[in-house]
Amino acid sequence: MTWGAKDERRTRPVWWGLAVTPARLRASAGAEPVLRRPVAPMLAAPVDLVPEGPGLVHEPKWDGWRCIAFREPDGVYLQSRAGRNLTTYFPDITRAIRATVAPRVVLDGELIVWERGRTNFAQLQRRVTAGRDLLRLAREWPAHYVLFDLLADTGGQVILDLPLAQRRARLEQLLVNAPAQLTVTPQTADMRQVADWLLHWTVAAGIDKRLTGRYEPGRRGWSKFRTRIVTEAIIGGVTSSISRPETVLLGRFDRRGRLRYTGRSHPLTTDQRAALAELLTPPRMPHPGTVAHPWPQPLPASWSGQLDRPEPLPYLQVEPTVVAEIAADVAFEHGRWRHRVRYARFRPDLSVYDVPLLLGEGKDPFGTTIG
């Protein structure tokens, strides 16, 4: 597995990143650099197999919101992956950080909410729209901040260049007396433990890192593996054009026979586009008292499940007669896959009434695990 463009890194400054530049690391003569927001978090590139080898460690990937926390002298600032200010939505987390962490420390982790032994992504989303109910929501559904990296240590010492093993040791020491809401994510080099996470934990995904690796803001220097299921869905729309679709929009019938939107695919290959163009047609004219297509145009921004800059999605509606075989991860909430799925092929042997019904929350009971 390739862990990054090493030759390219040699030509760049130590502090290179999408948001972290020399200007973001302010220092007077003789003083240590100070890490200032925004900081682009280090990212993970998707892989199809869990990498193995000496010096590699594995962590569960939590189903929440990536968050970099700045313990500033006068308070706490929570930054999303895209640089959005999350501070006001998580008073429970800011209170815990302020009481536990020394000023100028910078942390990296994932905000999650637990419900009956599993993460509840919908409760995170409710924080943004709760308004006056925010404090009640925080009491009833407290958030947790699962931490996996330390970017600036006590006193503001920037430690991006330290190996992961050393950053991890400092993080654990920093949180030795922290409340349960602030916890260090598990980490292991034992592949049996990794298999247990993927099979039995609700995370169903993992992040793989090198113990000697630096923290490189904005770079995909880690790898990410997800457990996936193979299942079917109905194509109800496409982006770009019907004659050359770029992505497909998928749905399933609910118990009342309504076609409900369930998610969107990654970009199709050239061959997949050509094959689907032969099968897809615009919606037929409706019968009196019926609608031509059950989904709004464009798709509402709220249907995307994204926190950062969601926008309505214009698309082309198609007659929902084509069944698609897809590979999807198990992040399936409120009747939708939160992440894009992989389109595999169309299934001419299946009717749309052979596709599993939209039954509700949780893992697709008809899926076949391939991860």
Side-chain angles (χ1 to χ4, degrees):
M1 126 124 235
T2 300
W3 288 91
K6 295 183 179 179
D7 293 339
E8 182 183 9
R9 283 204 301 266
R10 293 192 188 102
T11 67
R12 290 182 167 180
V14 171
W15 307 115
W16 183 267
L18 295 180
V20 178
T21 65
R24 290 286 174 195
L25 286 132
R26 311 283 177 78
S28 57
E32 291 291 331
V34 176
L35 194 60
R36 299 191 185 279
R37 55 180 165 88
V39 172
M42 190 168 178
L43 303 173
V47 295
D48 292 326
L49 296 174
V50 180
E52 299 182 57
L56 284 178
V57 289
H58 312 273
E59 300 172 0
K61 184 185 183 306
W62 301 97
D63 191 22
W65 284 343
R66 184 74 176 273
C67 175
I68 294 182
F70 298 81
R71 175 58 169 99
E72 299 178 339
D74 57 348
V76 176
Y77 184 92
L78 304 180
Q79 176 207 301
S80 78
R81 170 175 166 172
R84 182 174 176 177
N85 183 358
L86 300 176
T87 309
T88 57
Y89 307 128
F90 293 92
D92 43 350
I93 296 300
T94 58
R95 183 168 55 248
I97 293 175
R98 189 166 187 168
T100 305
V101 179
R104 304 191 189 282
V105 166
V106 181
L107 305 158
D108 190 3
E110 194 94 354
L111 292 167
I112 64 171
V113 171
W114 282 106
E115 179 190 14
R116 295 192 294 270
R118 62 177 296 155
T119 55
N120 188 324
F121 190 80
Q123 289 298 339
L124 283 177
Q125 293 179 305
R126 287 184 63 192
R127 293 282 183 119
V128 177
T129 58
R132 295 179 179 178
D133 289 333
L134 178 62
L135 293 179
R136 177 187 60 79
L137 195 67
R139 288 194 303 270
E140 295 178 0
W141 300 92
H144 290 73
Y145 190 25
V146 183
L147 292 147
F148 46 73
D149 223 317
L150 181 65
L151 312 189
D153 204 350
T154 304
Q157 179 189 6
V158 179
I159 60 172
L160 303 182
D161 275 348
L162 289 184
L164 171 63
Q166 294 185 32
R167 301 198 309 272
R168 168 86 179 196
R170 293 192 183 197
L171 177 64
E172 291 175 345
Q173 180 61 36
L174 185 73
L175 299 177
V176 67
N177 293 317
Q181 281 185 285
L182 306 179
T183 185
V184 181
T185 192
Q187 188 181 85
T188 186
D190 185 347
M191 294 304 296
R192 292 171 298 181
Q193 181 68 57
V194 175
D196 182 64
W197 290 344
L198 295 174
L199 291 174
H200 302 120
W201 283 33
T202 63
V203 291
I207 298 292
D208 311 288
K209 305 175 180 179
R210 286 198 178 277
L211 285 169
T212 57
R214 299 169 176 171
Y215 191 99
E216 300 175 277
R219 301 291 301 274
R220 292 189 179 274
W222 302 329
S223 64
K224 173 174 59 179
F225 173 83
R226 291 184 183 276
T227 299
R228 292 184 175 271
I229 58 173
V230 172
T231 188
E232 295 82 34
I234 303 164
I235 298 177
V238 299
T239 58
S240 187
S241 69
I242 294 178
S243 62
R244 191 167 179 79
E246 181 178 337
T247 65
V248 294
L249 278 56
L250 302 164
R252 282 182 170 178
F253 291 120
D254 62 17
R255 297 181 188 275
R256 298 181 180 179
R258 298 173 300 181
L259 184 67
R260 305 285 291 276
Y261 173 76
T262 55
R264 183 182 176 191
S265 75
H266 288 289
L268 305 173
T269 67
T270 300
D271 290 344
Q272 289 171 341
R273 294 178 185 184
L276 281 176
E278 300 293 325
L279 303 169
L280 300 174
T281 59
R284 293 193 295 265
M285 291 297 294
H287 297 294
T290 64
V291 296
H293 199 282
W295 302 345
Q297 174 67 273
L299 286 182
S302 60
W303 288 20
S304 70
Q306 297 177 348
L307 166 68
D308 295 304
R309 304 183 183 92
E311 296 180 354
L313 177 66
Y315 72 105
L316 283 303
Q317 297 174 341
V318 301
E319 186 68 17
T321 57
V322 177
V323 176
E325 181 178 289
I326 59 171
D329 67 38
V330 296
F332 188 77
E333 291 182 334
H334 292 284
R336 299 187 189 118
W337 287 288
R338 289 203 300 103
H339 307 122
R340 292 200 191 190
V341 306
R342 296 178 184 175
Y343 172 84
R345 56 181 177 141
F346 71 93
R347 293 291 303 270
D349 56 318
L350 295 181
S351 158
V352 293
Y353 301 107
D354 295 322
V355 174
L357 291 178
L358 187 61
L359 298 176
E361 298 299 319
K363 187 173 179 179
D364 182 350
F366 297 91
T368 302
T369 301
I370 63 172

